[in-house]
Amino acid sequence: MDQKKIGSFLKELRKEKGLTQEQLAELMYVSDRTVSRWETGSNLPSLDILIRISDYYNVELSEILDGERKSGKMNKELEETVLKVADYSNDEKMKMMKKLHIFSWIGVVSFLIYLALDITGLAGQGITEAIASFCSGLALGMLITAVLYTSNSIYKIKAFKKRLLRKK
């Protein structure tokens, strides 16, 4: 895939409709800077946005990905498959974001409990010392988990774990 070619084709399609980058950005629910990045080829739209662009400009998805107009139509089954893949991808992103949101809130609440115990001077006394230590550890653990999820390392760790369990 030639991103520069795709970008110039997207720019050509936008100009054919007589739209500014800002107007297209509003239609696609992105920033005008994002549209600019698409058109310069420094970035590509996500699959779901590519499908919306394809529908809006009334061109085939394969034409956008090739960066040029073609004769002939995309197989309807292939188009439906691509739409299903886009939906699946969005569902997976939403699941990951929910998990990340939960981990983040657990970390924030744990840190706030630790902070409250530390400020009141209770963090070094008896049972509250253990609670404070647990909360600070939990907050750090949730931060590390969030970093792993956002870097997609969690999927590599899960794959490694599966390989290890198969060997046993």
PDB file of all heavy atoms in Angstrom, residues 34-64:
ATOM      1  N   THR A  34      -6.194  15.641  11.423  1.00  0.00           N
ATOM      2  CA  THR A  34      -6.208  14.222  11.056  1.00  0.00           C
ATOM      3  C   THR A  34      -6.424  14.074   9.556  1.00  0.00           C
ATOM      4  O   THR A  34      -5.742  13.279   8.897  1.00  0.00           O
ATOM      5  CB  THR A  34      -7.306  13.482  11.848  1.00  0.00           C
ATOM      6  OG1 THR A  34      -7.025  13.593  13.240  1.00  0.00           O
ATOM      7  CG2 THR A  34      -7.385  12.025  11.457  1.00  0.00           C
ATOM      8  N   VAL A  35      -7.373  14.836   8.999  1.00  0.00           N
ATOM      9  CA  VAL A  35      -7.628  14.799   7.558  1.00  0.00           C
ATOM     10  C   VAL A  35      -6.370  15.205   6.795  1.00  0.00           C
ATOM     11  O   VAL A  35      -5.999  14.584   5.797  1.00  0.00           O
ATOM     12  CB  VAL A  35      -8.830  15.704   7.181  1.00  0.00           C
ATOM     13  CG1 VAL A  35      -8.977  15.807   5.669  1.00  0.00           C
ATOM     14  CG2 VAL A  35     -10.115  15.180   7.806  1.00  0.00           C
ATOM     15  N   SER A  36      -5.687  16.222   7.290  1.00  0.00           N
ATOM     16  CA  SER A  36      -4.449  16.668   6.654  1.00  0.00           C
ATOM     17  C   SER A  36      -3.406  15.546   6.648  1.00  0.00           C
ATOM     18  O   SER A  36      -2.728  15.326   5.638  1.00  0.00           O
ATOM     19  CB  SER A  36      -3.899  17.888   7.393  1.00  0.00           C
ATOM     20  OG  SER A  36      -2.645  18.254   6.881  1.00  0.00           O
ATOM     21  N   ARG A  37      -3.305  14.830   7.741  1.00  0.00           N
ATOM     22  CA  ARG A  37      -2.343  13.712   7.819  1.00  0.00           C
ATOM     23  C   ARG A  37      -2.706  12.604   6.839  1.00  0.00           C
ATOM     24  O   ARG A  37      -1.817  11.971   6.264  1.00  0.00           O
ATOM     25  CB  ARG A  37      -2.280  13.171   9.246  1.00  0.00           C
ATOM     26  CG  ARG A  37      -1.575  14.095  10.191  1.00  0.00           C
ATOM     27  CD  ARG A  37      -1.524  13.513  11.585  1.00  0.00           C
ATOM     28  NE  ARG A  37      -0.878  14.431  12.490  1.00  0.00           N
ATOM     29  CZ  ARG A  37      -1.148  14.515  13.775  1.00  0.00           C
ATOM     30  NH1 ARG A  37      -2.054  13.725  14.312  1.00  0.00           N
ATOM     31  NH2 ARG A  37      -0.524  15.380  14.533  1.00  0.00           N
ATOM     32  N   TRP A  38      -4.012  12.355   6.668  1.00  0.00           N
ATOM     33  CA  TRP A  38      -4.425  11.350   5.678  1.00  0.00           C
ATOM     34  C   TRP A  38      -3.984  11.776   4.290  1.00  0.00           C
ATOM     35  O   TRP A  38      -3.458  10.973   3.525  1.00  0.00           O
ATOM     36  CB  TRP A  38      -5.944  11.191   5.652  1.00  0.00           C
ATOM     37  CG  TRP A  38      -6.593  10.676   6.880  1.00  0.00           C
ATOM     38  CD1 TRP A  38      -6.016  10.008   7.930  1.00  0.00           C
ATOM     39  CD2 TRP A  38      -7.985  10.782   7.205  1.00  0.00           C
ATOM     40  NE1 TRP A  38      -6.950   9.699   8.873  1.00  0.00           N
ATOM     41  CE2 TRP A  38      -8.171  10.163   8.452  1.00  0.00           C
ATOM     42  CE3 TRP A  38      -9.081  11.347   6.566  1.00  0.00           C
ATOM     43  CZ2 TRP A  38      -9.413  10.084   9.062  1.00  0.00           C
ATOM     44  CZ3 TRP A  38     -10.319  11.266   7.171  1.00  0.00           C
ATOM     45  CH2 TRP A  38     -10.492  10.639   8.413  1.00  0.00           C
ATOM     46  N   GLU A  39      -4.232  13.043   3.979  1.00  0.00           N
ATOM     47  CA  GLU A  39      -3.997  13.528   2.620  1.00  0.00           C
ATOM     48  C   GLU A  39      -2.509  13.674   2.284  1.00  0.00           C
ATOM     49  O   GLU A  39      -2.138  13.626   1.116  1.00  0.00           O
ATOM     50  CB  GLU A  39      -4.738  14.838   2.394  1.00  0.00           C
ATOM     51  CG  GLU A  39      -6.242  14.643   2.379  1.00  0.00           C
ATOM     52  CD  GLU A  39      -7.032  15.911   2.123  1.00  0.00           C
ATOM     53  OE1 GLU A  39      -6.409  16.999   2.004  1.00  0.00           O
ATOM     54  OE2 GLU A  39      -8.268  15.818   2.045  1.00  0.00           O
ATOM     55  N   THR A  40      -1.677  13.847   3.293  1.00  0.00           N
ATOM     56  CA  THR A  40      -0.237  13.907   3.037  1.00  0.00           C
ATOM     57  C   THR A  40       0.383  12.511   3.047  1.00  0.00           C
ATOM     58  O   THR A  40       1.540  12.344   2.681  1.00  0.00           O
ATOM     59  CB  THR A  40       0.485  14.773   4.092  1.00  0.00           C
ATOM     60  OG1 THR A  40       0.258  14.215   5.387  1.00  0.00           O
ATOM     61  CG2 THR A  40       0.032  16.219   4.008  1.00  0.00           C
ATOM     62  N   GLY A  41      -0.393  11.529   3.469  1.00  0.00           N
ATOM     63  CA  GLY A  41       0.101  10.158   3.494  1.00  0.00           C
ATOM     64  C   GLY A  41       0.901   9.823   4.729  1.00  0.00           C
ATOM     65  O   GLY A  41       1.505   8.762   4.809  1.00  0.00           O
ATOM     66  N   SER A  42       0.895  10.711   5.718  1.00  0.00           N
ATOM     67  CA  SER A  42       1.645  10.415   6.948  1.00  0.00           C
ATOM     68  C   SER A  42       0.853   9.518   7.884  1.00  0.00           C
ATOM     69  O   SER A  42       1.414   8.961   8.826  1.00  0.00           O
ATOM     70  CB  SER A  42       2.050  11.707   7.656  1.00  0.00           C
ATOM     71  OG  SER A  42       0.918  12.438   8.048  1.00  0.00           O
ATOM     72  N   ASN A  43      -0.444   9.379   7.626  1.00  0.00           N
ATOM     73  CA  ASN A  43      -1.293   8.537   8.456  1.00  0.00           C
ATOM     74  C   ASN A  43      -2.449   8.054   7.590  1.00  0.00           C
ATOM     75  O   ASN A  43      -2.789   8.692   6.607  1.00  0.00           O
ATOM     76  CB  ASN A  43      -1.823   9.355   9.638  1.00  0.00           C
ATOM     77  CG  ASN A  43      -2.186   8.498  10.822  1.00  0.00           C
ATOM     78  OD1 ASN A  43      -2.216   7.283  10.724  1.00  0.00           O
ATOM     79  ND2 ASN A  43      -2.477   9.136  11.931  1.00  0.00           N
ATOM     80  N   LEU A  44      -3.055   6.919   7.968  1.00  0.00           N
ATOM     81  CA  LEU A  44      -4.213   6.406   7.245  1.00  0.00           C
ATOM     82  C   LEU A  44      -5.419   6.347   8.174  1.00  0.00           C
ATOM     83  O   LEU A  44      -5.266   6.123   9.373  1.00  0.00           O
ATOM     84  CB  LEU A  44      -3.937   5.002   6.708  1.00  0.00           C
ATOM     85  CG  LEU A  44      -3.015   4.902   5.511  1.00  0.00           C
ATOM     86  CD1 LEU A  44      -2.785   3.445   5.146  1.00  0.00           C
ATOM     87  CD2 LEU A  44      -3.584   5.646   4.312  1.00  0.00           C
ATOM     88  N   PRO A  45      -6.615   6.526   7.620  1.00  0.00           N
ATOM     89  CA  PRO A  45      -7.817   6.391   8.452  1.00  0.00           C
ATOM     90  C   PRO A  45      -7.970   4.958   8.939  1.00  0.00           C
ATOM     91  O   PRO A  45      -7.498   4.017   8.303  1.00  0.00           O
ATOM     92  CB  PRO A  45      -8.958   6.743   7.488  1.00  0.00           C
ATOM     93  CG  PRO A  45      -8.334   7.333   6.279  1.00  0.00           C
ATOM     94  CD  PRO A  45      -6.922   6.890   6.240  1.00  0.00           C
ATOM     95  N   SER A  46      -8.662   4.801  10.068  1.00  0.00           N
ATOM     96  CA  SER A  46      -8.956   3.457  10.550  1.00  0.00           C
ATOM     97  C   SER A  46      -9.943   2.807   9.579  1.00  0.00           C
ATOM     98  O   SER A  46     -10.573   3.477   8.757  1.00  0.00           O
ATOM     99  CB  SER A  46      -9.551   3.516  11.957  1.00  0.00           C
ATOM    100  OG  SER A  46     -10.762   4.232  11.942  1.00  0.00           O
ATOM    101  N   LEU A  47     -10.091   1.501   9.684  1.00  0.00           N
ATOM    102  CA  LEU A  47     -10.925   0.757   8.745  1.00  0.00           C
ATOM    103  C   LEU A  47     -12.371   1.236   8.752  1.00  0.00           C
ATOM    104  O   LEU A  47     -12.976   1.403   7.692  1.00  0.00           O
ATOM    105  CB  LEU A  47     -10.852  -0.741   9.063  1.00  0.00           C
ATOM    106  CG  LEU A  47     -11.540  -1.670   8.091  1.00  0.00           C
ATOM    107  CD1 LEU A  47     -11.028  -1.466   6.672  1.00  0.00           C
ATOM    108  CD2 LEU A  47     -11.353  -3.105   8.517  1.00  0.00           C
ATOM    109  N   ASP A  48     -12.928   1.497   9.932  1.00  0.00           N
ATOM    110  CA  ASP A  48     -14.320   1.949   9.973  1.00  0.00           C
ATOM    111  C   ASP A  48     -14.488   3.314   9.308  1.00  0.00           C
ATOM    112  O   ASP A  48     -15.475   3.570   8.619  1.00  0.00           O
ATOM    113  CB  ASP A  48     -14.867   1.956  11.398  1.00  0.00           C
ATOM    114  CG  ASP A  48     -14.055   2.786  12.352  1.00  0.00           C
ATOM    115  OD1 ASP A  48     -12.816   2.810  12.224  1.00  0.00           O
ATOM    116  OD2 ASP A  48     -14.652   3.422  13.247  1.00  0.00           O
ATOM    117  N   ILE A  49     -13.498   4.202   9.451  1.00  0.00           N
ATOM    118  CA  ILE A  49     -13.572   5.505   8.800  1.00  0.00           C
ATOM    119  C   ILE A  49     -13.355   5.353   7.292  1.00  0.00           C
ATOM    120  O   ILE A  49     -14.011   6.034   6.498  1.00  0.00           O
ATOM    121  CB  ILE A  49     -12.567   6.496   9.420  1.00  0.00           C
ATOM    122  CG1 ILE A  49     -12.979   6.803  10.865  1.00  0.00           C
ATOM    123  CG2 ILE A  49     -12.496   7.784   8.609  1.00  0.00           C
ATOM    124  CD1 ILE A  49     -12.028   7.698  11.619  1.00  0.00           C
ATOM    125  N   LEU A  50     -12.473   4.443   6.885  1.00  0.00           N
ATOM    126  CA  LEU A  50     -12.285   4.187   5.457  1.00  0.00           C
ATOM    127  C   LEU A  50     -13.604   3.760   4.806  1.00  0.00           C
ATOM    128  O   LEU A  50     -13.925   4.191   3.693  1.00  0.00           O
ATOM    129  CB  LEU A  50     -11.234   3.101   5.227  1.00  0.00           C
ATOM    130  CG  LEU A  50      -9.786   3.537   5.181  1.00  0.00           C
ATOM    131  CD1 LEU A  50      -8.869   2.332   5.099  1.00  0.00           C
ATOM    132  CD2 LEU A  50      -9.521   4.483   4.039  1.00  0.00           C
ATOM    133  N   ILE A  51     -14.353   2.947   5.495  1.00  0.00           N
ATOM    134  CA  ILE A  51     -15.638   2.488   4.969  1.00  0.00           C
ATOM    135  C   ILE A  51     -16.611   3.656   4.864  1.00  0.00           C
ATOM    136  O   ILE A  51     -17.325   3.796   3.868  1.00  0.00           O
ATOM    137  CB  ILE A  51     -16.196   1.332   5.823  1.00  0.00           C
ATOM    138  CG1 ILE A  51     -15.305   0.101   5.639  1.00  0.00           C
ATOM    139  CG2 ILE A  51     -17.640   1.017   5.452  1.00  0.00           C
ATOM    140  CD1 ILE A  51     -15.560  -1.011   6.609  1.00  0.00           C
ATOM    141  N   ARG A  52     -16.626   4.524   5.892  1.00  0.00           N
ATOM    142  CA  ARG A  52     -17.492   5.710   5.827  1.00  0.00           C
ATOM    143  C   ARG A  52     -17.091   6.619   4.673  1.00  0.00           C
ATOM    144  O   ARG A  52     -17.936   7.163   3.970  1.00  0.00           O
ATOM    145  CB  ARG A  52     -17.434   6.487   7.142  1.00  0.00           C
ATOM    146  CG  ARG A  52     -18.436   5.988   8.158  1.00  0.00           C
ATOM    147  CD  ARG A  52     -18.552   6.948   9.306  1.00  0.00           C
ATOM    148  NE  ARG A  52     -17.550   6.561  10.288  1.00  0.00           N
ATOM    149  CZ  ARG A  52     -16.974   7.380  11.153  1.00  0.00           C
ATOM    150  NH1 ARG A  52     -17.308   8.649  11.175  1.00  0.00           N
ATOM    151  NH2 ARG A  52     -16.089   6.961  12.001  1.00  0.00           N
ATOM    152  N   ILE A  53     -15.784   6.796   4.481  1.00  0.00           N
ATOM    153  CA  ILE A  53     -15.289   7.624   3.377  1.00  0.00           C
ATOM    154  C   ILE A  53     -15.713   7.019   2.042  1.00  0.00           C
ATOM    155  O   ILE A  53     -16.176   7.719   1.140  1.00  0.00           O
ATOM    156  CB  ILE A  53     -13.743   7.781   3.461  1.00  0.00           C
ATOM    157  CG1 ILE A  53     -13.362   8.650   4.656  1.00  0.00           C
ATOM    158  CG2 ILE A  53     -13.181   8.348   2.163  1.00  0.00           C
ATOM    159  CD1 ILE A  53     -11.872   8.674   4.949  1.00  0.00           C
ATOM    160  N   SER A  54     -15.564   5.710   1.931  1.00  0.00           N
ATOM    161  CA  SER A  54     -15.958   5.001   0.713  1.00  0.00           C
ATOM    162  C   SER A  54     -17.437   5.227   0.409  1.00  0.00           C
ATOM    163  O   SER A  54     -17.806   5.515  -0.735  1.00  0.00           O
ATOM    164  CB  SER A  54     -15.667   3.510   0.893  1.00  0.00           C
ATOM    165  OG  SER A  54     -16.247   2.751  -0.122  1.00  0.00           O
ATOM    166  N   ASP A  55     -18.267   5.104   1.429  1.00  0.00           N
ATOM    167  CA  ASP A  55     -19.706   5.342   1.249  1.00  0.00           C
ATOM    168  C   ASP A  55     -19.980   6.796   0.883  1.00  0.00           C
ATOM    169  O   ASP A  55     -20.778   7.074  -0.013  1.00  0.00           O
ATOM    170  CB  ASP A  55     -20.486   4.978   2.517  1.00  0.00           C
ATOM    171  CG  ASP A  55     -20.563   3.488   2.754  1.00  0.00           C
ATOM    172  OD1 ASP A  55     -20.346   2.717   1.798  1.00  0.00           O
ATOM    173  OD2 ASP A  55     -20.844   3.091   3.906  1.00  0.00           O
ATOM    174  N   TYR A  56     -19.341   7.719   1.568  1.00  0.00           N
ATOM    175  CA  TYR A  56     -19.596   9.140   1.338  1.00  0.00           C
ATOM    176  C   TYR A  56     -19.226   9.553  -0.091  1.00  0.00           C
ATOM    177  O   TYR A  56     -19.963  10.260  -0.756  1.00  0.00           O
ATOM    178  CB  TYR A  56     -18.843   9.994   2.362  1.00  0.00           C
ATOM    179  CG  TYR A  56     -19.102  11.464   2.173  1.00  0.00           C
ATOM    180  CD1 TYR A  56     -20.312  12.021   2.578  1.00  0.00           C
ATOM    181  CD2 TYR A  56     -18.169  12.282   1.552  1.00  0.00           C
ATOM    182  CE1 TYR A  56     -20.578  13.369   2.377  1.00  0.00           C
ATOM    183  CE2 TYR A  56     -18.423  13.627   1.352  1.00  0.00           C
ATOM    184  CZ  TYR A  56     -19.626  14.163   1.773  1.00  0.00           C
ATOM    185  OH  TYR A  56     -19.888  15.495   1.560  1.00  0.00           O
ATOM    186  N   TYR A  57     -18.043   9.115  -0.539  1.00  0.00           N
ATOM    187  CA  TYR A  57     -17.586   9.488  -1.877  1.00  0.00           C
ATOM    188  C   TYR A  57     -18.135   8.574  -2.968  1.00  0.00           C
ATOM    189  O   TYR A  57     -17.892   8.803  -4.148  1.00  0.00           O
ATOM    190  CB  TYR A  57     -16.062   9.493  -1.945  1.00  0.00           C
ATOM    191  CG  TYR A  57     -15.404  10.594  -1.154  1.00  0.00           C
ATOM    192  CD1 TYR A  57     -14.350  10.324  -0.302  1.00  0.00           C
ATOM    193  CD2 TYR A  57     -15.819  11.918  -1.274  1.00  0.00           C
ATOM    194  CE1 TYR A  57     -13.720  11.332   0.414  1.00  0.00           C
ATOM    195  CE2 TYR A  57     -15.203  12.930  -0.558  1.00  0.00           C
ATOM    196  CZ  TYR A  57     -14.161  12.626   0.278  1.00  0.00           C
ATOM    197  OH  TYR A  57     -13.543  13.622   0.987  1.00  0.00           O
ATOM    198  N   ASN A  58     -18.814   7.505  -2.555  1.00  0.00           N
ATOM    199  CA  ASN A  58     -19.389   6.549  -3.488  1.00  0.00           C
ATOM    200  C   ASN A  58     -18.308   5.908  -4.368  1.00  0.00           C
ATOM    201  O   ASN A  58     -18.435   5.826  -5.594  1.00  0.00           O
ATOM    202  CB  ASN A  58     -20.487   7.197  -4.344  1.00  0.00           C
ATOM    203  CG  ASN A  58     -21.378   6.154  -4.987  1.00  0.00           C
ATOM    204  OD1 ASN A  58     -21.494   5.034  -4.505  1.00  0.00           O
ATOM    205  ND2 ASN A  58     -22.006   6.514  -6.085  1.00  0.00           N
ATOM    206  N   VAL A  59     -17.228   5.498  -3.721  1.00  0.00           N
ATOM    207  CA  VAL A  59     -16.163   4.761  -4.402  1.00  0.00           C
ATOM    208  C   VAL A  59     -15.950   3.459  -3.647  1.00  0.00           C
ATOM    209  O   VAL A  59     -16.322   3.333  -2.480  1.00  0.00           O
ATOM    210  CB  VAL A  59     -14.829   5.562  -4.463  1.00  0.00           C
ATOM    211  CG1 VAL A  59     -14.977   6.804  -5.297  1.00  0.00           C
ATOM    212  CG2 VAL A  59     -14.312   5.891  -3.086  1.00  0.00           C
ATOM    213  N   GLU A  60     -15.374   2.509  -4.309  1.00  0.00           N
ATOM    214  CA  GLU A  60     -15.113   1.213  -3.684  1.00  0.00           C
ATOM    215  C   GLU A  60     -13.937   1.327  -2.714  1.00  0.00           C
ATOM    216  O   GLU A  60     -13.011   2.125  -2.929  1.00  0.00           O
ATOM    217  CB  GLU A  60     -14.799   0.158  -4.753  1.00  0.00           C
ATOM    218  CG  GLU A  60     -15.936  -0.079  -5.721  1.00  0.00           C
ATOM    219  CD  GLU A  60     -17.192  -0.587  -5.044  1.00  0.00           C
ATOM    220  OE1 GLU A  60     -17.080  -1.379  -4.105  1.00  0.00           O
ATOM    221  OE2 GLU A  60     -18.288  -0.194  -5.464  1.00  0.00           O
ATOM    222  N   LEU A  61     -13.977   0.541  -1.687  1.00  0.00           N
ATOM    223  CA  LEU A  61     -12.907   0.521  -0.695  1.00  0.00           C
ATOM    224  C   LEU A  61     -11.583   0.138  -1.349  1.00  0.00           C
ATOM    225  O   LEU A  61     -10.537   0.708  -1.040  1.00  0.00           O
ATOM    226  CB  LEU A  61     -13.268  -0.466   0.420  1.00  0.00           C
ATOM    227  CG  LEU A  61     -12.407  -0.467   1.651  1.00  0.00           C
ATOM    228  CD1 LEU A  61     -12.385   0.908   2.303  1.00  0.00           C
ATOM    229  CD2 LEU A  61     -12.914  -1.498   2.648  1.00  0.00           C
ATOM    230  N   SER A  62     -11.634  -0.796  -2.274  1.00  0.00           N
ATOM    231  CA  SER A  62     -10.404  -1.219  -2.965  1.00  0.00           C
ATOM    232  C   SER A  62      -9.792  -0.069  -3.753  1.00  0.00           C
ATOM    233  O   SER A  62      -8.569   0.021  -3.876  1.00  0.00           O
ATOM    234  CB  SER A  62     -10.689  -2.401  -3.889  1.00  0.00           C
ATOM    235  OG  SER A  62     -11.624  -2.051  -4.879  1.00  0.00           O
ATOM    236  N   GLU A  63     -10.639   0.831  -4.280  1.00  0.00           N
ATOM    237  CA  GLU A  63     -10.117   1.990  -5.007  1.00  0.00           C
ATOM    238  C   GLU A  63      -9.354   2.911  -4.064  1.00  0.00           C
ATOM    239  O   GLU A  63      -8.286   3.421  -4.417  1.00  0.00           O
ATOM    240  CB  GLU A  63     -11.263   2.758  -5.678  1.00  0.00           C
ATOM    241  CG  GLU A  63     -11.909   2.009  -6.830  1.00  0.00           C
ATOM    242  CD  GLU A  63     -13.085   2.748  -7.421  1.00  0.00           C
ATOM    243  OE1 GLU A  63     -14.009   3.102  -6.659  1.00  0.00           O
ATOM    244  OE2 GLU A  63     -13.074   2.977  -8.649  1.00  0.00           O
ATOM    245  N   ILE A  64      -9.897   3.117  -2.873  1.00  0.00           N
ATOM    246  CA  ILE A  64      -9.210   3.965  -1.896  1.00  0.00           C
ATOM    247  C   ILE A  64      -7.879   3.330  -1.504  1.00  0.00           C
ATOM    248  O   ILE A  64      -6.841   3.994  -1.479  1.00  0.00           O
ATOM    249  CB  ILE A  64     -10.087   4.216  -0.657  1.00  0.00           C
ATOM    250  CG1 ILE A  64     -11.306   5.066  -1.040  1.00  0.00           C
ATOM    251  CG2 ILE A  64      -9.284   4.906   0.445  1.00  0.00           C
ATOM    252  CD1 ILE A  64     -12.297   5.269   0.085  1.00  0.00           C
TER     253      ILE A  64
END
